[in-house]
């Protein structure tokens, strides 16, 4: 992730590159798939719980699309995990990965 100052040293704007977004989609998809499999659920079963199409679940897991925030909340509830755990696992930021590891080792 990069910081774009737009040529103004006193102001900064956080810029997410296309590669950052692609990596986030890939990681979040993996986290969703891992949580679904841990719950021993199929994409069809998860889609039925969320009143959506199984292809939607597949697109999320493949990293083709990102779920909306509302959909992410529903996914976390259906999978009995926290949104934070899904996003922490998905984040390409090292600080988020360390925070997730601290939570795991604290158990």
């Amino acid at each position: 992730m990069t910081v774009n100052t737009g040529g103004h040293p006193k102001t900064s704007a956080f810029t997410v590159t296309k590669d950052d977004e692609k990596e986030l989609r890939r990681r979040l998809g993996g986290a969703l798939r891992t949580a679904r499999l841990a719950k021993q659920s199929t994409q069809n079963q998860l889609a039925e719980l969320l009143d959506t199409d199984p292809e939607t679940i597949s697109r999320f897991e493949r990293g083709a699309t990102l779920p909306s925030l509302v959909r992410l909340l529903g996914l976390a509830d259906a999978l009995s995990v926290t949104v934070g755990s899904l996003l922490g696992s998905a984040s390409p930021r090292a600080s988020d990965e360390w925070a997730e590891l601290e939570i795991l080792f604290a158990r």
Side-chain angles (χ1 to χ4, degrees):
M1 297 193 189
T2 60
V3 175
N4 176 6
T5 61
H8 305 297
K10 293 185 179 181
T11 62
S12 64
F14 182 74
T15 303
V16 177
T17 66
K18 292 213 181 267
D19 287 342
D20 292 334
E21 183 182 344
K22 183 178 180 180
E23 181 67 8
L24 177 62
R25 286 193 322 260
R26 186 187 68 77
R27 287 180 178 225
L28 181 58
L32 289 168
R33 182 177 188 275
T34 298
R36 179 181 57 77
L37 293 175
K39 192 155 172 106
Q40 299 181 347
S41 180
T42 66
Q43 289 180 345
N44 287 345
Q45 291 167 328
L46 183 56
E48 188 174 316
L49 281 173
L50 297 171
D51 193 30
T52 192
D53 189 89
E55 181 58 29
T56 299
I57 303 301
S58 176
R59 283 192 299 263
F60 294 156
E61 289 186 4
R62 289 190 325 257
T65 60
L66 283 171
S68 69
L69 184 54
V70 171
R71 180 63 74 191
L72 186 59
L73 290 167
L75 285 161
D77 285 346
L79 296 169
S80 303
V81 297
T82 65
V83 171
S85 70
L86 291 172
L87 292 176
S89 298
S91 176
R93 295 179 358 181
S95 60
D96 291 338
E97 291 175 16
W98 278 110
E100 185 67 19
L101 287 173
E102 287 175 346
I103 292 168
L104 290 173
F105 285 117
R107 292 181 184 169

